[in-house]
Amino acid sequence: MMTVDLAAQSVRDLNKALHECKENITEKEWVVTNPKGNHNIAVGLDAEISVDIHGHAGYFCAGMNKTANVTVHGNVGQGVAENMMSGVVRVKGDASQAAGATAQGGLLVIEGNAGARCGISMKGVDIVVKGSIGHMSCFMGQSGSLVVCGDAGEALGDSLYEVHIYVKGSVKSLGADCIEKDMRSEHIAELKGLLEKAGVDENPLDFKRYGSARQLYTFKVDNASAY
Amino acid sequence: MCGIVGLYLKNDKFENSLGELFEPMLISMTDRGPDSAGFAIYGDEVGEGWVKLTLRHPDEDYRWEELSDNLSASLGCEIKWMQNANVVVLKINTNESSARRALAELDSDVLILSAGSSIEILKEVGLPENIASKFNLSGMKGSHIIGHTRMATESAVTMEGSHPFSTGSDLCLVHNGSLSNHNRLRDTLKREGITFETENDSEVAAGYLTWRLNQGDSLKVALENALKDLDGFFTFTIGTKDGFAVMRDPIACKPAVLAETDDYVAMASEYQALVSLPGIENAKVWEPEPATFYVWERK
């Protein structure tokens, strides 16, 4: 196990060492101490390694992640796991805004709450939030799944494409073209799988499903009022 | 960008080290605002019948003693004064409006940065580190303090355009964001008798709160009205004589983090600014909700 203390080394040094694992994995388990809210910790990873960050991280933590398994034992700032491609990012605390923005694959688990615009423009990632999410979440979400065990803020799924959204709690309001849909057996199975993968103990039958009404795909003047 | 930070002590445990605790918070936000910085510190309160003014003059070698003597003669009252770099704090045994009138008559170039019984506003163009050092921030004592590091977007880089802005007796505001309706609102407020020193959008927010408070609003009601009437992006931190408030606009794209322990409430644009605070490891840390304000007050 390799420990990198950010009180003694820079984030740039840490990321350089982690990037070198792509060519030659010298150490599979990494521990980062004293993150102290620094930005860009463990970004651009592309190796089957695990990174445990002990403390709170700043913006864009674990952004662009590929195959790595990153756990933050604390809160994260804006844009955690932004544009993740694969692998797992787990936040034990809360996440700020735009968690998992534009992410294309992998699994993002937030054990606390997530702020506004969680999963904005997501393109294939699965996001599981044990707490609640803020307003404008999943705005223009294109593909993947968003599971929320708490409540969702205003304008959930505004201008949504094909993301599957499951919410256990209340939804303050739905965005343009986002509607509640039936939970069919395949959705219960999908949700069960996502909850298991995320290690979250919830009953899939307690959730409601939301998705796109598919009226905004192409502009039609009849839909103008919905924009 | 811009960075805003605040530290409000819930008891007197850290009053002697307020400046020392706050200095690294302000400096850590340099990346968010390197062009100017300022802070409003509350403490060293004057008694009943006294007013405390923070003054500044464009002339670095201005003869403050002469002004103080003339002011004392003109008002027929006692004055105590203390210089800090190119700013002075005057404690005058009169009320605020008499002091303002007399000052305007004696020298219209004197700028009043703050007025009240407790507040002192110190601000300057330049790197936060240099400004903290210039005013000896680390040696300051008090009950609470709010600060700002500016990256100018809406108006020129000048001392007048830097924050905090005074919003009335013992009140001040710092802003991260940009207002979209500040020009129209400034015209409306001018008609209501509010005066402005700059073209700065944040000064309009300060002027708006001054106006609402003059209309008889409580701070809470003034903030509720601000949420309706101010258009654009904002995270505000507001200092009052006994309290401290944080407010975010409904879009909430300007960041904010709050931390609370038994000893203090701290706010910052980013968590980085809070890491040097004592006991932060066990503090309650959270992101304020959009279209919401939080107020702490000493009873």
Side-chain angles (χ1 to χ4, degrees):
Chain A
M1 189 177 73
M2 183 76 96
T3 300
V4 177
D5 181 357
L6 289 181
Q9 282 179 276
S10 69
V11 173
R12 192 173 287 255
D13 291 337
L14 166 72
N15 286 341
K16 184 166 176 282
L18 295 173
H19 293 168
E20 280 165 2
C21 294
K22 186 188 175 185
E23 307 301 331
N24 176 24
I25 299 185
T26 51
E27 186 59 66
K28 283 187 80 98
E29 289 177 19
W30 293 71
V31 169
V32 178
T33 55
N34 289 308
K36 293 183 183 292
N38 267 302
H39 300 327
N40 312 320
I41 294 174
V43 295
L45 305 191
D46 186 4
E48 287 183 13
I49 54 173
S50 73
V51 181
D52 278 79
I53 300 163
H54 291 278
H56 304 314
Y59 293 3
F60 310 119
C61 181
M64 301 179 283
N65 188 56
K66 209 167 163 186
T67 67
N69 193 331
V70 180
T71 305
V72 183
H73 302 263
N75 302 332
V76 291
Q78 298 187 12
V80 62
E82 183 178 68
N83 211 50
M84 173 159 66
M85 302 304 285
S86 61
V88 180
V89 175
R90 181 180 290 270
V91 178
K92 296 278 189 179
D94 292 343
S96 181
Q97 309 191 0
T102 74
Q104 308 204 23
L107 174 69
L108 169 62
V109 183
I110 295 161
E111 297 193 0
N113 301 309
R117 305 172 200 92
C118 177
I120 182 171
S121 197
M122 55 192 276
K123 297 181 176 77
V125 66
D126 291 322
I127 303 176
V128 179
V129 182
K130 278 173 90 170
S132 298
I133 57 171
H135 64 281
M136 290 296 275
S137 285
C138 216
F139 173 57
M140 290 189 80
Q142 288 154 52
S143 160
S145 308
L146 172 65
V147 179
V148 183
C149 304
D151 303 327
E154 288 172 345
L156 175 70
D158 192 276
S159 307
L160 192 66
Y161 289 79
E162 288 299 311
V163 176
H164 293 183
I165 303 178
Y166 301 99
V167 183
K168 184 182 171 195
S170 65
V171 173
K172 205 161 187 187
S173 65
L174 292 172
D177 206 38
C178 184
I179 55 170
E180 188 181 335
K181 293 186 162 183
D182 292 339
M183 276 289 260
R184 297 195 300 267
S185 58
E186 69 263 35
H187 303 118
I188 292 165
E190 180 188 53
L191 178 55
K192 187 167 179 283
L194 287 166
L195 290 166
E196 275 169 11
K197 217 162 56 155
V200 175
D201 185 21
E202 293 280 359
N203 182 354
L205 297 174
D206 294 340
F207 286 73
K208 286 180 178 170
R209 179 168 77 103
Y210 303 88
S212 170
R214 301 182 178 128
Q215 295 299 304
L216 299 183
Y217 272 32
T218 49
F219 181 79
K220 285 193 288 186
V221 75
D222 300 344
N223 297 330
S225 64
Y227 286 94
Chain B
M1 292 267 269
C2 294
I4 57 181
V5 278
L7 181 60
Y8 174 79
L9 302 180
K10 289 159 76 177
N11 52 48
D12 53 14
K13 190 171 163 186
F14 292 115
E15 281 198 353
N16 287 336
S17 49
L18 184 71
E20 196 183 334
L21 292 173
F22 186 73
E23 187 177 85
M25 295 175 69
L26 189 74
I27 292 173
S28 79
M29 290 292 98
T30 302
D31 289 351
R32 297 191 66 88
D35 69 48
S36 29
F39 52 90
I41 185 159
Y42 292 81
D44 187 23
E45 195 176 329
V46 295
E48 190 80 19
W50 287 73
V51 63
K52 183 173 166 188
L53 302 178
T54 318
L55 305 179
R56 187 187 156 109
H57 195 276
D59 179 0
E60 290 267 332
D61 302 316
Y62 190 68
R63 296 169 68 170
W64 290 108
E65 192 163 7
E66 200 175 306
L67 178 85
S68 171
D69 290 345
N70 291 340
L71 198 58
S72 177
S74 152
L75 287 162
C77 70
E78 192 188 344
I79 295 183
K80 296 174 190 165
W81 70 286
M82 180 197 73
Q83 186 157 359
N84 184 351
N86 56 338
V87 170
V88 300
V89 177
L90 288 191
K91 295 174 179 174
I92 313 173
N93 187 201
T94 186
N95 59 48
E96 185 184 329
S97 55
S98 306
R100 280 181 181 274
R101 236 185 348 261
L103 262 175
E105 279 168 18
L106 283 170
D107 190 340
S108 57
D109 287 339
V110 171
L111 187 66
I112 302 176
L113 295 174
S114 68
S117 60
S118 170
I119 189 172
E120 292 171 30
I121 290 181
L122 302 162
K123 55 187 184 178
E124 194 62 82
V125 172
L127 282 173
E129 187 181 3
N130 298 342
I131 292 154
S133 154
K134 178 177 178 170
F135 294 118
N136 187 28
L137 171 57
S138 62
M140 287 186 157
K141 299 166 183 175
S143 54
H144 52 301
I145 182 165
I146 67 172
H148 185 270
T149 62
R150 182 168 187 236
M151 185 180 283
T153 53
E154 301 292 308
S155 68
V157 178
T158 59
M159 185 285 298
E160 291 83 354
S162 60
H163 304 219
F165 287 103
S166 174
T167 64
S169 188
D170 279 318
L171 267 159
C172 74
L173 163 148
V174 291
H175 173 206
N176 175 25
S178 55
L179 300 178
S180 48
N181 64 339
H182 64 102
N183 279 329
R184 179 168 293 187
L185 201 53
R186 184 186 286 108
D187 288 344
T188 310
L189 291 168
K190 276 181 180 169
R191 281 197 293 277
E192 295 287 339
I194 303 293
T195 54
F196 294 95
E197 307 281 346
T198 69
E199 293 300 306
N200 187 291
D201 61 331
S202 310
E203 193 187 8
V204 174
Y208 176 86
L209 285 185
T210 306
W211 173 62
R212 292 301 330 172
L213 293 161
N214 289 349
Q215 298 294 305
D217 281 7
S218 65
L219 180 64
K220 188 170 172 284
V221 173
L223 292 175
E224 275 165 5
N225 282 315
L227 271 176
K228 286 183 224 137
D229 289 341
L230 298 178
D231 190 22
F233 304 125
F234 51 86
T235 296
F236 291 134
T237 295
I238 293 149
T240 73
K241 187 178 148 193
D242 301 308
F244 168 83
V246 173
M247 179 163 90
R248 283 181 106 188
D249 67 90
I251 309 288
C253 67
K254 293 297 169 187
V257 178
L258 283 163
E260 186 167 14
T261 70
D262 289 343
D263 296 323
Y264 60 79
V265 176
M267 91 74 58
S269 295
E270 296 178 29
Y271 177 76
Q272 283 182 43
L274 308 177
V275 296
S276 54
L277 288 171
I280 190 70
E281 306 79 21
N282 302 315
K284 179 189 168 201
V285 176
W286 78 103
E287 184 169 323
E289 295 281 319
T292 303
F293 56 83
Y294 301 78
V295 181
W296 286 266
E297 277 180 310
R298 282 178 182 228
K299 294 294 170 233

